[in-house]
Structures are given as structure tokens and as C-alpha cells.
Amino acid sequence: MTNYPALKLHIGGAWRTADGAPVINPADESVLGTVPHASRSDLDDALAAAEEGFRVWSRTAPAKRAEIITKATGIMRGRIEDMATAMTLEQGKPLAQARLEILRGCEIMEWDAQEGRRIYGRIIPGEPGMRHSVLRQPIGVVAAFSPWNFPMSSPARKVGGALSAGCSIILKASEETPAGAVQLVQAFVEAGLPAGVLNLVFGKPSDISEYLIPQPSVRLVTFTGSVPVGKHLSALAGAHMKPAIMELGGHSPVFVCDDVDPAATAAKSAIGKSRNAGQVCVSPTRFFVQDAIYDRFTEAFTEQAAAMTVGNGLDPANQMGPLANERRIAAMEMLVADAKARGARITTGGNRIGNRGYYYPLTVVADIPDDARAMREEPFGPLALLSRVRSLDEAIEKANSVPYGLAAYAFTNSARNADQLAERVEVGNLSINHFVASSAETPFGGVKDSGFGREGGVEGLQCYTVVKNVSHLMA
Ligand code: NAD
């Protein structure tokens, strides 16, 4: 297929082929290619290569590391059209969003690369003749697992953090959307990254994680995906005394206070919700809207959602593409049927579009009761759940009642409201008056079941390091 790359493993600086499984285009259910599955001996080779890669890369000057990483992102930026097309083919998101994801992945790695030059230690004053030096050293070989919803920026988060801190990495990217990782690795090969520093494998996810995580050379586990899998992998990492970064699901509340314009906020909300067809861990989902503006907000949101064009992401006229796989359609159907049975009103959407390709419209579920399954389980799709609240206190209490704690959004012009939200909402990231949950320079991650550790910012890079204190008594 034109514009869809050959899919290969990358181990110890060389590409490898293997038998595997088909990759499906969610827009029409056609087969795009075959993703190779790594054998046990491929994984052993990747481990050996990553150990050697770590020896070389951890002793490479940070400025040289930054130069190679930045060269790779320059190559990716030059290929943005081909890469975006491949991403839309395998994942479904509209081309414009695919381009933005690639740029975002590049920005993340470029920021990390420069910050990698500033992983400073400390000198702690001691008694005369004694010097305590605190060093931050790269942790070692990283085993990384990235999901299907962001085929480029999620691998970029992990590769950028690991390589900028001086670590080597074995990346198991998504088998459902593998092209982004293959193209990213290709750019690093061309940029001159030493062999073994960045290895790429695919396969049956549980077989790979259960084999790699206990290996003595693996020193850190990073996973982005669902809460149940995250709990399983962090338990496995804990059993082998490995630290982990867990970027798991969310169920983002949106606080719409009665001091904002309901129509303008609804318009922004519809666009925020439609991004990647809602298949985003930070997707705005539970809209707690204050009584005075609830009806106007619901009406405006419904109008905006109904006007949203849904279709093949390769057509620039479409604002929302298909869902990435059939599992998401089944989940939307189940959650909508449950909400309706409990008395919610579907003001637009609510039914699958067509029967070829995984299309589902932006769906507004108004007056949703608190006990609806969608209010407690992450929908991970284009459902906007609207709940009427009397006060900000009530909204905060409801928002905090789920085990998730990743991102939250609020719309208000009141400093008091903003302060209350900042103090009391249980999340890792709160955005007030906008829908951007993270950027390259800010720490991103969750609390409660949404995980631990951070990606991005100084805090993110520090997760790829260990602290060593050296006490030196001058002779
Ligand atoms: P899933 O729970 O089967 O898988 C989630 C991800 O984990 C996938 O990328 C999968 O390849 C990987 N995975 C599964 N088992 C694994 C294992 N034993 N070892 C290593 N990796 C493993 O669910 P799904 O149907 O693919 O996705 C739907 C759910 O996943 C959503 O409800 C959402 O909560 C979550 N999800 C979250 C994110 C995120 O950005 N945090 C991304 C994708 C999916």
C-alpha cells in the first residue's frame, strides 16, 4: 500500500522481518500490512543489544546525544506528510491531527534532548575535608510499552526521555498502529544513533512484557495504556524491584461554571471531545455544568456535535475519523444503551454510522445519572456526558468520586473558583479555560488509579535517572 511503510523489528542496529499479524485500516477494514512478531531469541538479542547500547550511550556527551536526537527530529519533520498519511491509515485520526501529533512528538524529544544537558547534581556542604556530591545517573535499559491511540507521540515521550537521560531502550510499540514507531526508529538510524540504543519489537503484548520485565538488565518499566494492564505490569515490576512509570486511563471532569459564556464554552468542548474521536486518556468526558447555564450549554454542545463531519481521515473535510478498532464501537454501544436505560437523554449521535469501517458520531448524553456505567468507566471514545450541578462543591465531590485522577478542565472567570479547583481536584493535571493537558516542558501523569511517575518536564526526565551520593574525605 502506498505511503504505508514495511513493518520490521529493529534490534542491535539492524532491521529484521518475521511472521506476524495483519494491521487493519479502521476506515474500511482493509489490510495495510503485517506486523512482525519477535521470537524469544529476538528478545534475547534485543536485551544484549540494549546492554551494549547503554554502555556506549551513557558515556556519550549529553551535547552529542542532543545533536543526534535533534537530527532525528529534523528528519521526521521533513517526512511529515508521509508519516501523517501512514498514521491516518492505521489509526484513523484526521490528517491534520496526525500532522500535529508528529510535530508534538518532535517538540517533546527536542525539549528533552536540551534538558538532558542540564541533569545537574548537587554538592552538599559537609565537615571540613568532606565533600558530598549528589550525582544523577541514567538508570539503564528501559522496557517501554506504548499504546495504539498515539502511535508517534507516545513512543516519542518514552524514547525522548530515555535517550536524553543517557539510557538505552527496548520499545514494544502497538501492534495495531506500528508504523509510527517504525518511522521514528528509521529517523534515529539515519541520524547516526549507535546500534543497540533504540530497539523496536512487536508481538503478543503479555508474552513480551512478562519476558522482558524480570530480566536483570532491564532497570525501568514505562507503560501507557489501561488501568488493569498497568496494575498488572507495575506488580510485575515491583516483584522484580524495578521502578515504573505508569501513564494509565483517565475520566476527565470538566467544570463549567455559571460565570462563563455557555455557547462559546460548548463550542470549545465539542472540539476538545472530538480530538482523536475521544480515544485520549485526557479526553474531556464528564461535564459538570452549573444549573443556570446547563440548558444553553447542552443545546449549543448538541448543535456543534451534530454538525461535526465524520468520515475517512484522509479527506480534509472530515473533522472526526473512525474509531481505531471494533472494540471501541462495542464499548460505545454498551455504555450508551446502559445510560439510556437509566434515564439519560441522547441529544445527538448514539448509533454507529454505516457497517464498514468503525465510525461512531460525537454523542451527547445529557442528564446522565451518577450511577450510569459511563460515569464510572472510562469510555475512551466520542461520548460527552453532561451532568447538571447546583454548586462547584457538588461538582468537585462528584469529580473526585471515581478512582481515576489524570486530567481535569475548568471554565471560570472567578479567581476563587480557580483556587478551589486547584486545591481540591484530585488529578495530576488541571487546565483552566483551555483544553491542553500537557506540553513538552510540563510534567504529565496521574494520581490514584491513573498511575504514577511523570512524562515531560524536568520531573519526567528525572524518572529515567538514579541518584547516587558520593562522600569524599580529602586525604
Ligand atoms: P487493553 O487493556 O487490552 O490494552 C491497553 C494497551 O495495553 C494496549 O496498547 C495493549 O497492547 C497493551 N497491553 C495489553 N496487555 C498487555 C500486557 N500484558 N503487557 C504489555 N502491554 C499490554 O485495552 P484496549 O482495548 O487496547 O484499549 C482500551 C482501553 O485501554 C481503554 O479503556 C483505555 O482505558 C486504555 N488505553 C489507555 C491509553 C492511554 O493513553 N492511557 C491508551 C490506550 C488505551
Side-chain angles (χ1 to χ4, degrees):
M1 155 86 54
T2 336
N3 281 323
Y4 196 75
L7 302 171
K8 294 182 182 166
L9 311 169
H10 189 77
I11 295 169
W15 293 100
R16 291 186 187 185
T17 53
D19 292 339
V23 179
I24 306 296
N25 180 345
D28 59 11
E29 302 176 43
S30 61
V31 173
L32 291 165
T34 301
V35 63
H37 283 192
S39 64
R40 230 359 117 74
S41 89
D42 289 327
L43 296 181
D44 285 335
D45 291 348
L47 285 159
E51 281 182 56
E52 180 52 28
F54 179 65
R55 268 190 287 279
V56 173
W57 193 241
S58 58
R59 292 182 199 150
T60 301
K64 182 70 185 168
R65 290 181 205 144
E67 185 190 313
I68 293 175
I69 296 168
T70 312
K71 195 167 172 197
T73 59
I75 293 169
M76 288 166 63
R77 285 174 185 276
R79 291 183 185 153
I80 188 163
E81 287 308 316
D82 280 353
M83 292 176 69
T85 304
M87 190 186 294
T88 297
L89 284 169
E90 67 179 12
Q91 202 273 339
K93 69 186 61 173
L95 269 179
Q97 290 181 34
R99 286 189 200 102
L100 282 177
E101 183 182 335
I102 293 156
L103 293 177
R104 183 178 146 78
C106 290
E107 273 166 26
I108 286 168
M109 293 193 289
E110 286 157 2
W111 193 89
D112 280 354
Q114 291 310 321
E115 193 60 24
R117 302 175 67 178
R118 293 186 284 269
I119 303 182
Y120 302 137
R122 273 188 305 152
I123 304 289
I124 300 175
E127 64 218 52
M130 177 75 87
R131 178 179 290 165
H132 304 295
S133 314
V134 181
L135 311 180
R136 276 205 174 263
Q137 298 183 311
I139 192 166
V141 174
V142 177
F145 302 87
S146 63
W148 46 263
N149 57 338
F150 287 103
M152 170 61 62
S153 61
S154 185
R157 280 269 195 216
K158 299 177 190 313
V159 170
L163 267 51
S164 300
C167 299
S168 63
I169 183 167
I170 303 174
L171 171 66
K172 191 212 75 67
S174 167
E175 291 72 25
E176 291 174 292
T177 58
V182 170
Q183 291 164 319
L184 180 146
V185 171
Q186 177 63 32
F188 275 91
V189 170
E190 291 174 36
L193 188 73
V197 178
L198 170 55
N199 305 277
L200 176 64
V201 298
F202 301 102
K204 188 174 163 213
S206 54
D207 286 354
I208 297 190
S209 55
E210 272 151 42
Y211 188 66
L212 288 184
I213 292 172
Q215 299 294 332
S217 58
V218 169
R219 299 306 324 157
L220 173 74
V221 178
T222 168
F223 171 74
T224 299
S226 63
V227 171
V229 176
K231 285 184 174 173
H232 173 65
L233 295 190
S234 48
L236 188 58
H240 295 273
M241 206 48 75
K242 314 281 170 86
I245 304 167
M246 289 286 146
E247 205 275 86
L248 308 179
H251 205 318
S252 303
V254 184
F255 302 91
V256 185
C257 299
D258 58 13
D259 61 350
V260 299
D261 175 347
T265 309
K268 282 185 214 161
S269 300
I271 292 169
K273 182 74 238 182
S274 71
R275 184 171 158 248
N276 207 7
Q279 301 161 113
V280 187
C281 51
V282 297
S283 186
T285 297
R286 293 176 294 150
F287 291 81
F288 295 109
V289 187
Q290 277 193 298
D291 198 27
I293 58 167
Y294 180 85
D295 292 330
R296 278 178 292 155
F297 181 85
T298 304
E299 197 182 317
F301 203 139
T302 302
E303 256 175 46
Q304 294 286 333
M308 190 84 53
T309 46
V310 183
N312 192 320
L314 292 177
D315 180 346
N318 290 325
Q319 292 163 287
M320 225 170 75
L323 302 190
N325 54 58
E326 203 157 17
R327 302 190 296 288
R328 303 295 353 119
I329 293 277
M332 296 312 106
E333 288 175 342
M334 181 276 287
L335 293 173
V336 167
D338 173 79
K340 272 162 74 176
R342 291 173 199 264
R345 276 188 302 133
I346 309 300
T347 61
T348 183
N351 290 302
R352 180 178 186 165
I353 303 170
N355 55 12
R356 192 170 165 78
Y358 311 129
Y359 296 101
Y360 198 91
L362 185 47
T363 296
V364 177
V365 188
D367 306 345
I368 187 155
D370 295 339
D371 64 354
R373 285 185 67 172
M375 286 295 270
R376 315 209 65 79
E377 297 170 28
E378 182 183 25
F380 219 66
L383 303 189
L385 314 175
L386 275 45
S387 170
R388 188 192 291 267
V389 289
R390 286 179 308 280
S391 64
L392 188 60
D393 281 345
E394 180 190 345
I396 293 174
E397 198 176 310
K398 287 186 171 171
N400 288 343
S401 71
V402 294
Y404 299 98
L406 191 55
Y409 308 91
F411 289 83
T412 182
N413 292 308
S414 149
R416 188 184 174 282
N417 285 351
D419 182 60
Q420 285 294 303
L421 290 156
E423 283 295 322
R424 292 167 54 196
V425 181
E426 296 168 355
V427 289
N429 296 76
L430 169 66
S431 304
I432 301 178
N433 294 333
H434 69 97
F435 275 118
V436 181
S438 71
S439 57
E441 60 270 34
T442 56
F444 173 70
V447 299
K448 297 159 75 177
D449 276 7
S450 291
F452 44 75
R454 290 294 179 263
E455 295 195 307
V458 176
E459 291 84 352
L461 219 48
Q462 286 181 346
C463 290
Y464 291 90
T465 66
V466 281
V467 171
K468 182 187 284 175
N469 186 60
V470 179
S471 286
H472 186 173
L473 183 60
M474 311 294 167

